[in-house]
Amino acid sequence: SQRQEGPSALQLVIRALLTRLQGLVELLAPGKKDVGVENRFYYDEVTKQWKLRGGETDQERAEAEAIRFHTSRGMCSASAPATTACDASRGASDNSFAEPPPMGGAVS
């Protein structure tokens, strides 16, 4: 019996198909894609705030401070507007709300 040296015909066909498939995949989906933008924020230990590397404009700084004031630091319960959210303890108490409908009766 003859022993064959090297890969068989089937191995050569499979290797050729894999090479073509790999070429198609690389063509359609290149390895590295740049997605998103570079993170330019850093934490300033002195002011204890996140800041934008490269600076912000005065308008952007004022808008950020206004949002920060109204969402965390400057708002106290007494000055918060009345709310219908789950946390009704915030804001001025307004007892003029209508009573809720009765529970447990027949559904019509």
Side-chain angles (χ1 to χ4, degrees):
S1 86
Q2 277 185 328
R3 290 208 55 165
Q4 196 175 15
E5 299 284 327
S8 69
L10 182 60
Q11 288 174 328
L12 290 173
V13 169
I14 291 173
R15 198 173 293 161
L17 285 172
L18 287 176
T19 302
R20 293 282 183 151
L21 182 61
Q22 183 179 8
L24 283 173
V25 168
E26 288 174 0
L27 179 68
L28 296 175
K32 183 180 181 204
K33 292 183 180 182
D34 291 329
V35 179
V37 295
E38 177 188 354
N39 182 6
R40 294 177 37 210
F41 286 90
Y42 68 97
Y43 189 73
D44 185 351
E45 292 291 339
V46 176
T47 62
K48 305 290 185 199
Q49 292 179 338
W50 285 97
K51 292 190 174 182
L52 182 63
R53 188 169 286 115
E56 300 171 297
T57 65
D58 289 336
Q59 180 182 356
E60 290 170 334
R61 201 172 295 114
E63 289 172 359
E65 185 57 33
I67 291 171
R68 204 170 12 256
F69 176 80
H70 288 295
T71 57
S72 62
R73 296 187 182 155
M75 200 64 120
C76 66
S77 294
S79 62
T83 180
T84 58
C86 295
D87 183 11
S89 65
R90 290 186 53 128
S93 82
D94 182 4
N95 295 330
S96 65
F97 294 112
E99 289 292 318
M103 302 287 288
V107 178
S108 54

